[in-house]
Structure formats: structure tokens, C-alpha cells
Amino acid sequence: EVLNAKNHELEAFIVAQAGRKGAVTVSTNMAGRGTDILLGGNPEYMAKEHLRKMNKDPDQLQIAAVGTPERQLWDEIYGKYKAITEAEHDEVVKLGGLRIVGTERHESRRIDNQLRGRAGRQGDPGSSRFFLSLQDDLLRIFGGERIQNLMLRLGMEEDVPIESRLITKRIAAAQKAVEAQNFAARKHVLEYDDVMDKQRHAIYGWRRQLLEGADQRQRIEEMIEGIVATFVDTRCPARAHATEYDLAGLQTDVLTQFGVKLNLAELRGLLRNEIEEQVRELVMARYAEKEKVITPEIMRETERLIMLNVIDNHWKDHLLAMDHLKEGIGLRGYGQKDPLVEYKKESWQLFQALQDRIEDETVRLLFFLQTEETVGAGIRPVLPFNPDEDEWEEEEPPPAPQPEAVGAAREQQLAAQAAVQDITRSIQRKKERELAELQFVGGEASSSPKRPVLKGQKVGRNDPCPCGSGKKYKKCCGA
């Protein structure tokens, strides 16, 4: 039986009996992890193996109540093997205990110490010895040639065993060099991952607030103020004269982002701060009107769902961009630049761009929410993004209540509420559908059903061609 950490239960039984008198066990350094080697053998494993040969369940017999026939059978067999192992224990102790023989040294000193620790457990005697070659990878890479030349100058023959502290020290130095190299590699990976981990914490913290139902009204207002300030800074620079302001461009930006048209005649002649304040008040007033129509409760829920949808979509794109950045950032070393520093700089720029895209799209979707009444279809919302074609086919929006006693304003408000609820339901259905698709990625459910391949009778090379030309198949279609 080869012990290579493939069959854990069987290998644990074999390793547990490695302490018996005359037992020789050959295994890799991974086999038998967590199994205690007792000198003379392990009576518990031996009793279980005996009961399995009797077609009985040893685990049930071992936990049976005291005094039952099952427990008496277990105690009898266990006591029998207990006496055998105790007698062998004394004999093995007199012979020197467990002997560990290693055929090479591992790159990590911890693995070698674990192997040595197999001997001398719980006060029992034991010893260990390693047999090495100067052609082993560890010595060959880290100074093996130097030691070999030294031994040749001293006149040592190839088959003569070498026992010297010089070899031991050289091996320990090689192990330290490998451990330092592996540590540096892990540290390098961790430094790159820390950059992504900070961004991950920021995005997941934002998503958690949305999932827990935190009020996002104040955050939406801050987004609006930031976007307006950016537009004003771009179109109305601080050091430019009022006659140089690009008011037409500002009007286009505000109309595209918020759906609000500015009156350029009112803005001409105003200072930069006054223009920013007037635009902000106008946009805030439009948002307050939309919230009044839809009602604050539904507006808060819509804000959370739209923000959650936008964050998820842009976060996936950001992860892909970060992977591409990490793949090629090592080439910056050719330009005498530290790739890690460059990775931190560019990843921070990408993260800032991600936040700007999330804020811009969230605000744009919220401002372009509206309802549309079509003939024969009732009230149907016009989404500010392209919905899937099957979303409207799954569930028709319920018609808005239109009692005769309710005025036109009340009807419009109810229609807007129904429209926003339909939008939220469509977003939820889209999320559920994406989650279901992700669960079956790579499985049989994501692939089309396989159809059986029907094979007809094979046409021989010298048979007439089935196309009807009268020639042989090898000179016609089979050429």
C-alpha cells in the first residue's frame, strides 16, 4: 500500500501501527497527518480492524452503553489487543524506540521537525537520521557544487558517507534561503491583494447599508451637489471672466444628467458661485417634486434598489479592469519604476473613476424616472435604462386605481407609485435571474441539451458514390 495522503482512513490505520516491533513503513511527508504512533501498536485501531473482519460496526460497539452485550464484546477484544501492544511496547523500548529515516531534506525546516517529532513522543525513546545527496535539488541550487568541489579537493570518494557539521550548516542555510524566498513571494502577493481588499471593504460596506435599508436621501443630495459643482468647474473656470463662461455647454450637461433645462438669460451676468447655487436649487426642486409625486417611502426604496443595481454592474466591470491592470503592471519595472507603487496609483485612479460612474448613473436614473400612460395598456413606467425584453412579458403592471371621486392629481400620484413599484420589481427579477444563471455556470443546466448523433452506414472507398454521379466514392465526394 502506497501512503501518499489519498486514502486518509486506511493510511491512518497503517501509520498508527508503525510503532509495532519489526514494522517498516514507507510514506511521503503528507501521509498520516494527525495520527499518533504508539510504540508496540495502537490497540484501538487493531480492535476496530478485528471487528470489521467479523462484519460488525466497531464505532457502534465502542459507544454502546456499559454492560450491554455490544460493549462487552468491544471491551473483550480491546483488552486482548491492549495486552499484546503493552508487551510489544516494552520490547520496542529496549530496542531504542521508533527510528525515523529521511531520504531528503524538505525546503521548510518545519516539515523536517514534524518528521523528527514522530520519534520520542510522550517520553518514549526514538531517533532520526537523514540521508542526502549533493545532487538533491535543495543542495544543487544552493551551493551543492561548492561543497562537492571541496570534498573532491579533500580526496573524498563518491560512495563514502559524509558526516560533518559543515554539511548540516550548509543545508540549514539553504533552507533559510528558500523560506525567505517563499516568504517574499507571499508578501508580494499580499501587498497586491491589500490594495484590492481596501476597495472591496468600501464597496461591500456601501452595499450592506443599502441591503439593511439605510436612508440614502442625504447621500443622493451630496451626489447631486458634487455633480453640479463638477459641471460648473468645467464650464465656468474660477480664473475665467464671466463673459468666457460656456453657459451653453453647462445647459447641455445639466439637461443630459438631470433632465432640467436652464434659462441662459437668467444666468448671464451672474458670478460663478451664484450660477452654481441657482443650478443646485433648480435641480433640488425638481427632485423634490418627483419625490412628492411618488411619495417619500417609495422614493427611498427606489433609491436603494437603483443604487444597488448600479453598484453591482460597475463593480463587476471594475474587477475585470483590475485584473487586466495586474497582469501587465510588472512591465513597469523595465521603465525603472516600482510595479507595486504604480499599481497602487492606477488602482486608486480606477476606484475614483468607479465611484464617479456609480454616482453619475444613479443620479441620472433617479431623475429620469417617469410614467407613461398608453392606450389599452394602462400605466406603464418608462425606464431610464434598457430592460430585458422578457421583463414586461413575465408580469403585466397592475392598472392604477381610477375611482371617479379621486381627482387628476391623485390619479397621477397613484400611477407614479405603481410605475416605481414595477421598476423595483423588474430590477429584483433581473437580480434573481442573474443569480440563478451564476449557480449553473459550468454545469449541465447552462448548456443546451445534447442530441444523439445518428450514424448511417459507412460508404466504402470503392463503392458507388451516394450522390448518383456513377463514379466511385474515392474519386467523387470522398476525394
Side-chain angles (χ1 to χ4, degrees):
E1 185 70 28
V2 180
L3 304 184
N4 53 7
K6 295 295 184 181
N7 192 341
H8 300 285
E9 185 176 0
L10 178 59
E11 293 181 13
F13 171 75
I14 296 176
V15 174
Q17 307 307 320
R20 301 199 66 181
K21 182 180 178 181
V24 178
T25 306
V26 182
S27 70
T28 63
N29 59 356
M30 286 295 296
R33 287 290 182 92
T35 304
D36 195 15
I37 300 177
L38 302 179
L39 297 185
N42 193 318
E44 181 180 350
Y45 280 84
M46 297 170 67
K48 289 184 177 180
E49 182 67 16
H50 182 84
L51 290 172
R52 288 192 182 96
K53 293 181 180 179
M54 298 173 57
N55 295 326
K56 295 186 180 296
D57 188 359
D59 297 330
Q60 295 295 332
L61 297 179
Q62 187 178 6
I63 63 176
V66 179
T68 58
E70 293 81 4
R71 185 57 181 268
Q72 291 178 359
L73 178 61
W74 166 261
D75 293 340
E76 179 184 354
I77 297 177
Y78 179 79
K80 171 185 174 182
Y81 285 105
K82 181 69 173 177
I84 296 175
T85 55
E86 288 180 353
E88 284 193 15
H89 177 271
D90 298 336
E91 296 179 8
V92 174
V93 170
K94 292 179 181 180
L95 295 175
L98 186 65
R99 177 72 167 180
I100 301 296
V101 179
T103 58
E104 65 174 343
R105 295 286 289 271
H106 196 271
E107 293 181 351
S108 175
R109 291 171 293 174
R110 179 179 59 85
I111 303 297
D112 292 340
N113 292 334
Q114 285 183 346
L115 183 58
R116 291 191 184 99
R118 291 288 183 174
R121 302 291 291 272
Q122 300 180 359
D124 292 332
S127 60
S128 63
R129 191 177 186 87
F130 286 82
F131 293 88
L132 306 178
S133 170
L134 292 178
Q135 279 72 37
D136 288 345
D137 292 338
L138 185 64
L139 293 176
R140 180 175 51 81
I141 298 174
F142 295 93
E145 184 178 355
R146 184 185 309 172
I147 299 176
Q148 187 174 6
N149 294 334
L150 176 62
M151 296 304 160
L152 292 176
R153 285 198 301 268
L154 295 177
M156 302 292 294
E157 298 181 1
E158 292 187 1
D159 297 335
V160 177
I162 304 172
E163 296 183 2
S164 173
R165 291 185 178 180
L166 175 64
I167 303 297
T168 303
K169 292 181 180 179
R170 194 62 195 171
I171 294 173
Q175 288 179 321
K176 289 181 180 179
V178 174
E179 291 175 357
Q181 185 177 4
N182 294 337
F183 176 78
R186 293 193 300 269
K187 182 181 179 182
H188 186 69
V189 173
L190 182 61
E191 288 175 343
Y192 276 89
D193 188 65
D194 284 341
V195 178
M196 196 65 212
D197 188 61
K198 293 178 181 178
Q199 299 182 7
R200 191 180 298 112
H201 278 294
I203 293 296
Y204 286 1
W206 194 355
R207 291 188 78 258
R208 181 173 294 277
Q209 292 180 2
L210 297 173
L211 293 174
E212 291 176 353
D215 191 351
Q216 300 296 320
R217 167 72 188 205
Q218 183 177 358
R219 189 159 196 165
I220 295 295
E221 293 179 354
E222 294 175 356
M223 292 180 183
I224 296 174
E225 293 177 358
I227 295 174
V228 170
T230 302
F231 289 163
V232 174
D233 291 340
T234 304
R235 302 298 181 178
C236 305
R239 296 184 179 182
H241 192 266
T243 57
E244 300 177 358
Y245 291 164
D246 186 6
L247 298 181
L250 179 62
Q251 183 186 37
T252 303
D253 294 340
V254 174
L255 182 62
T256 303
Q257 181 68 30
F258 304 104
V260 178
K261 188 174 183 181
L262 301 179
N263 189 350
L264 299 183
E266 298 179 357
L267 299 180
R268 289 191 178 92
L270 297 180
L271 298 178
R272 179 176 176 277
N273 296 336
E274 296 176 349
I275 294 176
E276 180 179 349
E277 183 178 357
Q278 184 170 350
V279 173
R280 183 173 60 250
E281 291 178 356
L282 183 61
V283 172
M284 288 296 186
R286 177 64 62 87
Y287 192 73
E289 293 176 1
K290 187 176 294 294
E291 179 178 339
K292 183 178 180 181
V293 173
I294 300 178
T295 70
E297 294 78 10
I298 298 179
M299 195 64 180
R300 298 290 85 78
E301 181 181 359
T302 306
E303 290 171 353
R304 290 193 297 269
L305 289 174
I306 289 181
M307 290 178 68
L308 188 63
N309 184 65
V310 172
I311 289 175
D312 290 347
N313 292 335
H314 286 283
W315 176 245
K316 290 185 289 187
D317 298 338
H318 179 72
L319 292 178
L320 182 60
M322 292 292 291
D323 289 339
H324 292 165
L325 174 63
K326 190 174 182 180
E327 289 177 359
I329 199 65
L331 299 176
R332 303 295 176 88
Y334 291 104
Q336 304 300 321
K337 296 181 180 179
D338 188 354
L340 179 60
V341 176
E342 296 298 315
Y343 179 75
K344 291 180 178 180
K345 290 181 180 179
E346 296 203 13
S347 62
W348 173 246
Q349 295 174 0
L350 289 176
F351 187 66
Q352 286 184 321
L354 168 68
Q355 291 178 317
D356 294 340
R357 291 196 305 272
I358 291 175
E359 293 179 359
D360 292 346
E361 186 169 351
T362 300
V363 172
R364 183 176 61 85
L365 296 180
L366 288 174
F367 269 87
F368 278 87
L369 279 177
Q370 56 183 343
T371 59
E372 182 180 70
E373 184 174 1
T374 57
V375 179
I379 301 298
R380 172 172 171 168
V382 179
L383 298 179
F385 50 88
N386 294 328
D388 295 339
E389 295 181 358
D390 57 347
E391 287 188 357
W392 293 110
E393 298 176 0
E394 294 178 1
E395 180 181 352
E396 291 293 335
Q402 299 178 357
E404 297 180 357
V406 180
R410 179 59 177 170
E411 292 179 2
Q412 183 180 4
Q413 183 177 6
L414 293 176
Q417 295 177 11
V420 174
Q421 290 176 356
D422 291 334
I423 293 174
T424 57
R425 281 197 297 269
S426 65
I427 295 177
Q428 290 176 350
R429 288 196 299 270
K430 183 179 179 182
K431 289 289 181 185
E432 293 174 358
R433 186 162 52 254
E434 291 179 355
L435 181 60
E437 292 176 356
L438 289 176
Q439 291 176 351
F440 293 102
V441 168
E444 296 181 355
S446 61
S447 61
S448 58
K450 298 181 179 179
R451 298 180 179 179
V453 179
L454 301 178
K455 294 184 178 180
Q457 186 177 2
K458 186 177 180 180
V459 181
R461 289 179 54 78
N462 294 321
D463 294 342
C465 187
C467 69
S469 63
K471 299 180 180 179
K472 291 185 178 181
Y473 178 69
K474 65 181 181 181
K475 294 185 178 181
C476 186
C477 296

